[in-house]
Amino acid sequence: TCTGLVVLTSPKVDSRSGLMDLLGRRNIEHIVQTVFTPTTSVQGAWQEAVAQSSARLSTATRGDVITFDKESGLALRVLYPPAGDTTGEAPIVLQLEYDGTSVLLASNMSEQDETRLLALSTGDELKSDVLMVGRHGSDGATTPRFIAAVQPRVAAISVGAGNRTNDPSPEVLQRLIDAGAKIYRTDQNGEVGLTLKNGGITITLSR
């Protein structure tokens, strides 16, 4: 089975280890990640696995645009990290644009990352119809300023039922409600599917 694109949005070890299995089972054409120096055995194994695969590897920097030959109207814009960031800790934040609708993928942004992104952004750049809430909706991110800049109509939270950290945070949920966003959670709604067409959003839920 072939997968066209994989984006390693977070440099965290658990994110990387999850993709190790995918890399072994699928033929991946293109892998996008941030710049990092391996400091763990998992990160080292990841680099070795990528090198042995046939995938094209590239790093993501703010301003990059990923397009798709078979879907001319689809684009992934890299909003974060900024150019020159070599910490290896910054997540990749993407904004998907298709058919007049936009989805912001907040990844693993911390409050500090959100502050940096807000400082870099101009006008309504962050405004998106859908916000894929970062960090499973945990406290310490998805700040009021960030939500105000995104102005989402829909907020989707990927989170496991009965998780140890009790995510999503009630404070984050209230911020999203106050902003007028309709919230969907995988722990309560099951799989949340988004269909973007003619400027509209169709939500499909399945358990």
Side-chain angles (χ1 to χ4, degrees):
T1 304
C2 180
T3 299
L5 175 69
V6 167
V7 181
L8 185 61
T9 57
S10 171
K12 292 175 63 177
V13 169
D14 57 351
S15 300
R16 203 174 304 273
S17 59
L19 285 180
M20 288 283 289
D21 180 58
L22 180 66
L23 194 60
R25 291 186 293 107
R26 291 178 177 265
N27 178 26
I28 298 172
E29 296 178 357
H30 186 192
I31 297 172
V32 178
Q33 64 179 25
T34 54
V35 176
F36 76 99
T37 300
T39 57
T40 68
S41 59
V42 171
Q43 291 173 337
W46 166 259
Q47 279 200 330
E48 183 177 347
V50 171
Q52 292 176 354
S53 75
S54 59
R56 176 168 60 94
L57 180 65
S58 60
T59 56
T61 301
R62 176 175 168 79
D64 292 347
V65 180
I66 301 170
T67 57
F68 303 84
D69 294 337
K70 296 180 180 179
E71 195 62 71
S72 59
L74 175 64
L76 279 173
R77 303 187 183 279
V78 180
L79 302 179
Y80 196 80
D85 188 299
T86 59
T87 63
E89 298 297 324
I92 297 175
V93 179
L94 301 169
Q95 188 179 51
L96 182 150
E97 296 180 351
Y98 182 71
D99 206 13
T101 306
S102 56
V103 180
L104 196 149
L105 308 162
S107 182
N108 197 44
M109 276 200 300
S110 64
E111 182 175 351
Q112 181 181 9
D113 290 318
E114 290 180 1
T115 300
R116 292 182 68 191
L117 178 57
L118 287 167
L120 292 166
S121 303
T122 57
D124 290 335
E125 179 184 355
L126 299 183
K127 185 176 179 181
S128 302
D129 299 287
V130 180
L131 172 63
M132 301 297 291
V133 178
R135 295 196 165 205
H136 312 294
S138 65
D139 200 14
T142 318
T143 59
R145 284 188 61 219
F146 180 69
I147 296 172
V150 179
Q151 303 177 46
R153 291 188 285 146
V154 173
I157 305 174
S158 177
V159 62
N163 63 86
R164 290 177 298 174
T165 51
N166 296 316
D167 294 330
S169 160
E171 290 80 4
V172 168
L173 292 174
Q174 191 60 54
R175 292 170 200 162
L176 292 166
I177 292 170
D178 291 344
K182 173 66 175 177
I183 300 172
Y184 295 92
R185 302 167 43 170
T186 56
D187 62 333
Q188 294 183 350
N189 304 117
E191 182 178 305
V192 180
L194 300 175
T195 302
L196 312 181
K197 187 176 182 180
N198 299 327
I201 306 166
T202 301
I203 309 294
T204 304
L205 308 176
S206 61
R207 288 188 175 274

